[in-house]
Amino acid sequence: MHPIGWDAFGLPAENAAIKRNLDPRAWTYDNIELHKASMRRYACSFDWDRIIRTCDPIYYRWNQWLFLEFYKKGLAYRKNSMVNWCPSCQTVLANEQVVGGACERCDSVVTKKALTQWFFKVTEYADRLLDDLELLEGNWPSKVLSMQRNWIGRSYGAEVDFAIEGRTEPVTVYTTRPDTLFGATFMVVAADSDLAAELVSGSTAEIRMQFQAYLDEVKKSNDIERLATDRDKTGLDSGRFAINPANGERIPVWISDYVLADYGTGAIMAVPAHDQRDLDFARTFGLGVKVVLETGEADPLETGVALTGEGVLINSGELNGLSKAEAISKITGILEKEGRGKAAKNFRLRDWLISRQRYWGTPIPIIHCDDCGEVPVPQDQLPIELPSAEGLDLAPKGTSPLGGAEDWVNVPCPSCGKPAKRDTDTMDTFVDSSWYFLRYLSPNSETEAFSKEEAKKWLPVDQYVGGVTHAILHLLYARFFTKVLQDLGHLDFSEPFTRLLNQGMVLMNGSAMSKSRGNLVKLGDQLDEHGADAVRLTMAFAGPPEDDIDWADVSPSGSGKFLARCWRAANDVNSEVGVDFSKGNVELRKVTHSFLRDFSANIEGFKFNVGVAKLMELVNALRKAIDGSVGPADPAVREAAEVAAIGLSLFAPFMAEEMWSILGHKPGVALAGLPEADPSLLVQDTITAVAQVDGKLRDTFEVSVDATEADLQAAADNSSAVQRAIDGREIAKVIIRAPKLINIVTKQ
RNA sequence: GCCGAAGUGGCGAAAUGGCAGACGCGGAGCACUCAAAAUGCUUUGCUCGAAAGGGCGUGUGGGUUCGACUCCCACCUUCGGCACCA
C-alpha cells in the first residue's frame, strides 16, 4: 500500500486564504486539486483510491473522537499556564513549534502569555517514548533518535526538602547532584513562579518593590533574549532563609530568571563550587562558595570555573571520602529514610499544548456549562463541523474566530440542558497528522476511525519517508498516539513506523528555495522543459535520497540524453518477442545478469543513484553489443533491452513503457517484474588478481577463478613489475587471498 | 557549553578492510557532415618524465593491520539539533 493524502488544516492555508480574502475551505480544496494534478503529471504511483483530506468532516470527526478518548483517560486536560504566544499568528504554540525562540511558521519572536489551554499529557509517556527508541535503533536515522532523546531529556537525581524560616511547608528542590548537598550555599527560586511571589510577600516592602520591578523586566524579555549566551546573571535577595538539611546551615533564598518555573520544582539548591551557573550567580552577588568534592582542579572562586569532574567528597560529614556515585546513592538513602527527600527524575519534555485560537482546524468537542463545567460532546453528536466562514472575522485577534459564530457556539448543555457554550478553540494540526496513517486503512469509514482488523494486517508502517524537520514534532506525536491507542486496546503494536528514511531537499545554489531569495525552481517548468521522466531520473541519480540535491549541480538534459539512448537501443533490437535468450551472446548475458543481481540490491538498499548508474552500464554494454560484432539480432541484445526497460520503469515510467511497446510487448512494463539473475551467468571464468609489494599495487593479471595460491605466487614471480618493486630485498612474508590478491612483504 | 552527522577529482558522486574515483556532468580530441546540431568512439585525480616508468593522493596527526576512504584515538573545519533543564 502506497497511499497519499492531504494534511490540509492549519495556519498556512488559513493565512493564505485571509490574504486573498477567500474562504479557507475553497482555497484549500482548490489547491488540493492543483497539487494532485501536478503529482499525477510527475507520475507518482500512489494508491489514488485511499485519499484522505484532514479537513474533511469525515476525517476530523475522528480527531474529535480521539480527543474524547484521551479526555476519558485523563490524557487531555485544561490548565492555566504561561504559554508560548506568537504575536503575528495571534495564537499559542506548542513547545515543539518554537524554533530558536521564534514561531516555526512565521519566524516572529515568540512571547509568553498566561492562558487556560488544552494539553495532551505526553509527559505521562515520556519514559516509554524514550525507552522505545531502542526498538528503532538501526532502522531510523540515528540523528532523529538522538534528537528525540535530547528533546525528551530525561535526567536522574533527587528531590530534597529545604525548611524555610517563617513558612510551615518546606520547599522541595530538584537536583541531579545530591552528592553536593553540603555545598549548597544558597537557594534560587524562579522569578516567575508562584513561590517567588509568596516568599516575597512575607518580606519587607522594599524587597516587594524590587521584586515587582525585576519581575516586570523578566516578563518583558522574550525567548531570543533569554537564549543569548553569556548573559549576565540577574536576580535579587528575597530576604528569606532556608535551612540546608544536610548540615543545618542557614542559607539565603534568592530569586532569579535563570531558574525555570516549569522545570523540576521551580526552585534549586545552588552549589556554586560545582555548577557553573550557580558559580556565575554567586560571583555576581558575592555569595558563598564551598567546595565539597576534591577534583584536583583549581579554586573555582578564583578561576571562575566550577568543578564538575570526578573526585572525593570533602566537607560533607558522613559523605567524606566517598566518590560522587557512592555519595549520590548514600545521601539519597539518608534523605529518604529521614523523609526529607527521595530519588527523582525529570524530563525536558513538556505536555503538548493543542488548542489554537484560529478558525481552520478541528473544533474541540467540549461544551462549557456554568453548572456542569467541561462536558464532552456525546458521540452521536459528532462530528462538530466547523461553522461556515461566511460572516466570520478570521483575522488573527487572539481569540478564536469561532466565538463569532453565535448560532454555533450557543448550545444546550448535553448534561443538564441549560444554555452552554462550545469550546471555540481548534486543535493543533499535528493532532490530525498523528494518526492519519491509520486512516488510510479505511479512509471513508463512517463507523470507526480505523479498522482494527486492517491494522493487524497492514501495520506498523514498513517504510516511512519524511523530512528531518519532523524529527521532534510529527514523529514524536505519532509515536505518542500509537502508544495511547495501544493502551486503549485499539492497536497491538507500540511503534508506528518500523523504518524511517529522511529524504533530502532540492536546493538551488546552496540554499533552500524561497520566493524572497528568488532562487525558485518550479517543478512545472522543469517538467515542461525536460519531461517527467528526465526530471525523475535526475532526482534519483543526483545522489543518495537522504542527501540534499542542489539543482544547480545536476543535469536534467544529461538524463534526457540517456533516455534517448535507451529509446534508440530498443529501436535497434532486431529479433522477435519470445526469442530464446539462452542462445544469445554469453558476454552480454553476463552483463545483463550481473545487473539483475546488483540492481535489485541497490534498489532495496535505497541506493537509487547507484541503481541508475548500473542501468547506464547495462545500456552502454547494450549499445556496444548492437554496434559491434554481436549485432542487433542476437537474442542477448533483446534480453538486455527488455531488462533495461523493466529497470528503467522505476525511474522513467513513460520511456520504459515506450521501450516495452517498441520491443513488441503489451502495455504494462511496470508489472513485468525483473527476472531472477541466472546463477550460471554470474560465474566469472577469469578474474583480475592484484599483486602488491608492501601493500602497494604493482601489477595485475587475469587469472582463472580457481587460481591457487601457487598460481598467484608463480604469476608474481614472473612479473617484472613485482620483481622490480621487490628490488632484491629479502621477503619477510607473503599474504595470498586466492584468487584475488597476493601481497609480498619485504624486510625493510 | 552539551549531543549528533559529514569532510573523496573542476562538479554530483561510487567503493563486503584488498586495483580509490564506478556512473554521470563538465573539458579535450577523433569519426560522421559542405557545415553545424545530434550521435558514436577515445581521453580526462595531481605531479615528474619525450617515453618507458616513477612519486603523491580520500580534512590533519597518530594507532591497529601484510594491507585503511572503510576500524580505533586525538584534533581541525562545516552543517544540524538542544541549550541558564539545576
Side-chain angles (χ1 to χ4, degrees), chain A residues 307 367 625:
Chain A
L307 312 183
I367 291 166

Side-chain angles (χ1 to χ4, degrees), chain A residues 469-519:
Chain A
T469 43
H470 289 126
I472 47 176
L473 285 156
H474 166 59
L475 289 171
L476 189 68
Y477 297 147
R479 295 183 59 229
F480 165 60
F481 263 56
T482 302
K483 290 173 195 304
V484 174
L485 288 169
Q486 183 189 27
D487 288 356
L488 292 172
H490 297 299
L491 293 176
D492 59 2
F493 53 90
S494 61
E495 286 295 333
F497 313 123
T498 309
R499 287 207 293 171
L500 172 66
L501 173 84
N502 283 144
Q503 90 282 13
M505 289 189 297
V506 178
L507 311 178
M508 188 57 191
N509 290 318
S511 44
M513 293 182 221
S514 77
K515 263 189 198 163
S516 55
R517 272 209 189 83
N519 61 344

Side-chain angles (χ1 to χ4, degrees), chain A residues 688-701 712-713 715-717 719 721-726 729 731 733-737 740-746 748:
Chain A
T688 306
V690 304
Q692 302 177 337
V693 176
D694 296 325
K696 278 188 184 154
L697 176 75
R698 292 303 171 183
D699 204 357
T700 61
F701 7 82
L712 286 181
Q713 183 70 62
D717 290 345
S719 161
V722 169
Q723 295 311 316
R724 189 167 52 236
I726 292 171
R729 285 193 303 278
I731 290 163
K733 199 174 190 179
V734 179
I735 283 102
I736 303 180
R737 296 278 178 275
K740 280 197 314 198
L741 175 133
I742 174 167
N743 185 15
I744 298 167
V745 186
T746 66
Q748 297 297 322

